[in-house]
Amino acid sequence: MRFSPLLEELIESLRSLPGVGPKTAQRMAFQLLTRGREKGKRIAHMLNLGMEGIGHCQRCRTFCEAEHCAICLAPQRDSSLLCIVENPIDMMVIEQMNIFKGFYFVLMGHLSPLDGIGPEDIGIPELAQRLTNSSISEVILATNPTVEGEATAHYISELAKQQPQIKVTRIAHGVPLGGELEYIDGGTLAHAFTGRGEV
Amino acid sequence: MRFSPLLEELIESLRSLPGVGPKTAQRMAFQLLTRGREKGKRIAHMLNLGMEGIGHCQRCRTFCEAEHCAICLAPQRDSSLLCIVENPIDMMVIEQMNIFKGFYFVLMGHLSPLDGIGPEDIGIPELAQRLTNSSISEVILATNPTVEGEATAHYISELAKQQPQIKVTRIAHGVPLGGELEYIDGGTLAHAFTGRGEV
């Protein structure tokens, strides 16, 4: 790219997008320059607005440009249910299914002592306060079924059980629909057997 | 994404990058927000600078923020050689090989009458003038070996041959190094046979 230092810098900056290597960044830059300058400026505009303006909901900690997100403000939702997820994408995925009508609490991560991520970093103090203050009757733990996710779920379940009126549940783990047993890993299959239900 | 209209707009705008679908755009937006706000702002800054500032070299038509690109201004290059390529990426790929020391002319496309792309759109008038004015002794046609690329190469060869001192050459086509004959398409193999050389 010796012919244009500015273009070189543009390509270099696009490489900091996740999953974008040198070839992809090159293609993006050339395509935007050739037939999408307006699109390029719009991306720049939205990035500026987003990076400056998007903070966290004061209630559930998800990404949000206002003080409270639209879900926390929805009056028709069931305030007795609180679903704990690791990040806003998980919250979005659950929302897209349209089966859960309670509120969320987004940890924005999981407990990971080795990386120095402790309870304060994932909003446990705010969560603890929320559990005492409100009319919650069930806490649904929907953290990922990874070592850190399970540890986080365990930690929060201990916390929630201090409130006697709260029932703590964990989303079910087992063989996914459409999955074939021969391709399922042993851990999942063991979970599916332990958690078997009567038909 | 009902919880944040701004985030939704950001994701939508990232989708206009080539090769970026809804899931990738989501991941990009969340990752930038979580641990790369400075990176995000830098991308926005470079996109703004690039979309506004990058034009075309007055001489070779490649992308360039100055009047002439660094290659056209290099005094040590061989002004008797002119290589014709379809786009700036091709020029860059040839430059990276470090074997060509002449100048370039970038068509920024190829002839395609069905899409309404005629000689004026790919800079043929400028090229014709450059061929009469300068000390060029060889024109190397390095357009793509596609139907349009071949047609464009043919058109330019006819134009260049009007200057008796100019030799017109085409880059060789055949079996790529490391390729296996059984996986090569018939057209390429036919080319490789027709263009065979004595060893």
Side-chain angles (χ1 to χ4, degrees), chain A residues 1 3 7-8 10-12 14-15 20-34, chain B residues 18 63 87-90 92-93 96:
Chain A
M1 205 78 47
F3 54 91
L7 184 55
E8 200 167 342
L10 170 59
I11 292 174
E12 192 52 42
L14 286 171
R15 282 190 59 186
V20 174
K23 286 274 169 189
T24 313
Q26 223 174 66
R27 196 161 59 96
M28 284 174 170
F30 281 101
Q31 200 141 320
L32 287 176
L33 284 169
T34 316
Chain B
F63 286 128
N87 58 56
I89 296 195
D90 299 344
M92 214 173 61
V93 172
Q96 279 165 356

Side-chain angles (χ1 to χ4, degrees), chain B residues 15-34:
Chain B
R15 283 191 58 185
S16 59
L17 287 169
V20 175
K23 285 273 171 191
T24 313
Q26 221 174 68
R27 197 161 59 96
M28 285 175 170
F30 281 103
Q31 200 142 322
L32 287 175
L33 284 170
T34 315

